[in-house]
Amino acid sequence: MDPKDVSYNWLSSGGAYILIFSIWFLSALFFAIMAFGIGREKQSSGDGCLLMISTTVFVGIGGAIGLMLLRSFFPWFIFSSAIGAIVAPMLVVRTFKHGKRRY
């Protein structure tokens, strides 16, 4: 067995999905804390809660899109899923902070 193959064994035996779950969880936690801070800054806990829910949902959506884009390329779907799980909630926060909300 080639040493290169041994280094990928833990990824191919389920380690990739543990890594993806960890990235999604940490991303959701980070953006929830960020949304809480933005809600407190705007002095509106309702908007902060809505932003927390939105970023958590978009972590899953962006991560799933990244996962599906490169699903047939073994180690690269981890990176595309991580990028999707980080970029999608960033867009939600950016839209929330710079958008014109009318009630």
Side-chain angles (χ1 to χ4, degrees), residues 8-100:
Y8 285 122
N9 272 347
W10 71 275
L11 277 177
S12 62
S13 65
Y17 296 106
I18 293 171
L19 190 61
I20 288 171
F21 171 76
S22 301
I23 291 168
W24 286 17
F25 179 76
L26 292 175
S27 179
L29 184 66
F30 172 77
F31 282 108
I33 292 169
M34 179 187 283
F36 180 74
I38 291 171
R40 183 175 283 179
E41 175 185 306
K42 301 283 185 185
Q43 297 174 346
S44 176
S45 62
D47 285 345
C49 183
L50 178 64
L51 187 59
M52 273 190 230
I53 293 168
S54 299
T55 55
T56 303
V57 167
F58 271 82
V59 164
I61 291 172
I65 289 172
L67 191 63
M68 289 294 134
L69 282 178
L70 296 176
R71 68 178 174 246
S72 59
F73 300 106
F74 169 57
W76 299 110
F77 68 86
I78 299 169
F79 298 115
S80 64
S81 177
I83 290 169
I86 294 170
V87 169
M90 281 175 58
L91 294 175
V92 172
V93 170
R94 182 175 179 260
T95 302
F96 181 83
K97 287 177 82 172
H98 300 296
K100 295 178 182 158

